[in-house]
Amino acid sequence: MKTKNSRLEALRLIIASKQMGSQEELLHALQEEGFVLTQATLSRDLKQLKVAKAATMGGSYVYVLPNEPMYKRVTSQETIREMMSATGYISLQVSGNMAVIRTRPGYASSLAWHIDNSGMDTILGTIAGDDTIFMVMREGATRQDVMDELNYSIPSGNTIV
C-alpha cells in the first residue's frame, strides 16, 4: 500500500503537469498511478495542499497549486500573451510604482497568478480580486522597464496608459 506522502506527491505532480478540471479526473489519474482512494480522501488532500481552481485560456477551470516553485507549470512570456488575450484582459493603468489591471469578471486571479510566476524582474507582486489586479513594481524599476515587460506580454492593440 502506498503512503499518504507519496499520494500527495503524485497529486502535486499530476496537477503541475496536466490540466485537471474535476475530482473525477484526478481520481482516475491517481488510480493510473496505483493509488486507491475515495473522493472524500481526495477532497481532504486537495485542502491540505491548498489547491485552488483557476480559469484557463478556454474559459474552463482547472486545479492549480499554490506558489511552490518545484511544482509550477512552466510558463513563458508567449503563454502569458495568449492567456491575457484569451482570458479577459481589458486594460492596464500605471501610477508611480503601482498599477491596476482590469479584466473580465472572474479572470483576475488566474492572470495575476501567471504574472507572479512569469519571472518578470520588474514586478514585485500582485493582489487580485474578481476583475481587478493591483500590481506593485520593484524598487528601482522604472515605469518604462515595467511597460517594456508588460508590453511584451499584453496582446498588441491594447493601449497602456
Side-chain angles (χ1 to χ4, degrees):
M1 180 171 190
K2 297 194 177 193
T3 67
K4 179 178 179 179
N5 286 337
S6 63
R7 183 180 71 237
L8 292 174
E9 181 71 12
L11 184 57
R12 283 185 193 103
L13 293 172
I14 289 168
I15 292 170
S17 64
K18 300 177 183 176
Q19 290 192 352
M20 297 284 173
S22 70
Q23 287 190 7
E24 184 177 311
E25 290 174 330
L26 286 171
L27 279 172
H28 182 69
L30 285 166
Q31 287 171 352
E32 287 178 353
E33 297 298 323
F35 296 95
V36 179
L37 64 152
T38 65
Q39 184 275 328
T41 300
L42 177 59
S43 289
R44 287 189 293 273
D45 288 351
L46 292 171
K47 184 175 182 176
Q48 181 178 344
L49 295 174
K50 297 181 175 141
V51 172
K53 275 197 162 182
T56 66
M57 289 185 290
S60 61
Y61 287 85
V62 296
Y63 289 102
V64 294
L65 293 164
N67 190 16
E68 293 182 15
M70 182 174 170
Y71 298 106
K72 281 191 273 186
R73 285 192 180 105
V74 177
T75 59
S76 68
Q77 300 298 333
E78 191 63 32
T79 303
I80 293 171
R81 176 191 312 248
E82 292 167 6
M83 181 170 186
M84 290 177 86
S85 65
T87 60
Y89 165 78
I90 296 173
S91 67
L92 173 103
Q93 292 186 334
V94 176
S95 176
N97 74 328
M98 299 174 286
V100 174
I101 298 174
R102 303 275 183 201
T103 69
R104 291 188 334 215
Y107 291 96
S109 179
S110 177
L111 182 56
W113 184 89
H114 282 279
I115 290 171
D116 286 339
N117 291 284
S118 68
M120 290 184 201
D121 294 329
T122 59
I123 298 171
L124 182 61
T126 64
I127 300 173
D130 184 51
D131 62 357
T132 305
I133 300 168
F134 174 73
M135 185 170 63
V136 177
M137 296 178 259
R138 289 194 185 277
E139 188 172 339
T142 67
R143 180 177 185 197
Q144 190 59 51
D145 292 339
V146 173
M147 296 308 217
D148 289 345
E149 279 192 323
L150 289 174
N151 275 323
Y152 181 77
S153 299
I154 294 173
S156 60
N158 290 302
T159 303
I160 298 177
V161 179

